[in-house]
Amino acid sequence: MLSALAQKASESTTNEEKTLSIMDLLLSGGTGAIVIIAILFVLLFVAVYIYFERLFAIKAASKYDESFMSKIRDNVVSGKIEAAKILCAQTNNPVARLTEKGISRIGHSLEDINKAIENAGRLEVYKLEKNVSILATVAGAAPMIGFLGTVIGMILAFHNLASSSGTADMGVLAEGIYTAMTTTVGGLVVGIIAYIGYNHLVVRTDKVIHSMEANAVDFLDLLNEPA
């Protein structure tokens, strides 16, 4: 009976020793690993913040009333230019702002109107893509920072091995290897998250830009219709 209890206690102790939390894993690589992991956490926070901030901004910009251009058409055809401008001002999205810019140029040539809409469109695209490039930078930089930690960890491991004439303590070697492995995984995880977030925002932005271009063409066609 006592032997069985002792065996169970030994197995329980062994299982506890084998259990390693994520935080313990991250902090087991020494000072070098902790510094690299801290940098990766900052990059992860920046990537997540920019992703959700841009996602909400793009989502707001993509809200569009299908009857908007019909109302603009009715006002312009009826000669109610001020009413059309008011409608654009009350509609807070890129399509409305581009249309308002075109309406404000009514009376000029179609080329001038088209140029004004294009210039306004560039500003709207810039607003939509604001800070999105940072996500691409994080997606590329995070894995490289992780690999930097890998190189540092392996250098430490081999330096300790060389300094001890091939008889280095396994615990000292393990610290360098921990640094190498944890920073590599951390860099890849942050890079993957940033890469997926970047591509998702690009797809959402392209949809808004397509809507802007389509409505700009509709507006120019409206002005080009015979009276």
Side-chain angles (χ1 to χ4, degrees):
M1 179 66 73
L2 292 175
S3 177
L5 291 174
Q7 184 177 358
K8 288 183 179 180
S10 176
E11 291 177 355
S12 176
T13 302
T14 302
N15 290 335
E16 289 179 358
E17 290 176 352
K18 290 181 179 178
T19 301
L20 185 65
S21 68
I22 294 178
M23 188 58 65
D24 290 336
L25 180 63
L26 294 178
L27 300 178
S28 296
T31 304
I34 293 174
V35 172
I36 297 295
I37 292 297
I39 294 173
L40 291 175
F41 266 118
V42 172
L43 291 179
L44 178 61
F45 173 79
V46 171
V48 171
Y49 173 80
I50 291 176
Y51 171 74
F52 283 105
E53 188 273 333
R54 286 292 85 199
L55 181 64
F56 292 138
I58 294 171
K59 187 176 181 180
S62 63
K63 291 181 179 179
Y64 175 69
D65 183 3
E66 295 294 337
S67 64
F68 174 76
M69 285 307 298
S70 297
K71 295 176 182 178
I72 292 295
R73 176 185 296 273
D74 293 339
N75 286 323
V76 171
V77 170
S78 302
K80 301 177 181 178
I81 304 301
E82 289 302 320
K85 289 182 179 179
I86 293 174
L87 177 60
C88 291
Q90 292 175 343
T91 307
N92 185 27
N93 61 41
V95 171
R97 287 190 286 271
L98 262 62
T99 304
E100 183 177 15
K101 181 63 67 174
I103 291 173
S104 66
R105 293 292 191 276
I106 289 180
H108 295 75
S109 66
L110 282 177
E111 183 179 353
D112 290 340
I113 296 174
N114 185 37
K115 189 69 174 178
I117 292 176
E118 286 181 355
N119 292 334
R122 293 192 190 97
L123 293 176
E124 293 297 332
V125 171
Y126 173 78
K127 292 177 183 178
L128 290 173
E129 295 178 343
K130 181 182 177 183
N131 294 330
V132 173
S133 60
I134 296 177
L135 274 181
T137 302
V138 172
M144 288 192 290
I145 292 174
F147 292 144
L148 174 62
T150 301
V151 174
I152 292 173
M154 298 309 295
I155 288 174
L156 291 174
F158 284 109
H159 173 73
N160 291 328
L161 183 61
S163 300
S164 60
S165 301
T167 59
D169 180 62
M170 290 304 296
V172 176
L173 291 176
E175 182 175 320
I177 296 173
Y178 262 130
T179 301
M181 297 300 101
T182 55
T183 56
T184 300
V185 173
L188 290 174
V189 169
V190 174
I192 290 170
I193 292 173
Y195 182 75
I196 293 174
Y198 170 78
N199 281 282
H200 182 241
L201 292 180
V202 168
V203 171
R204 294 291 298 269
T205 301
D206 286 344
K207 290 181 179 179
V208 177
I209 294 174
H210 175 74
S211 177
M212 291 164 53
E213 292 175 345
N215 282 277
V217 170
D218 289 343
F219 178 75
L220 292 174
D221 288 343
L222 166 64
L223 297 182
N224 202 32
E225 289 179 357

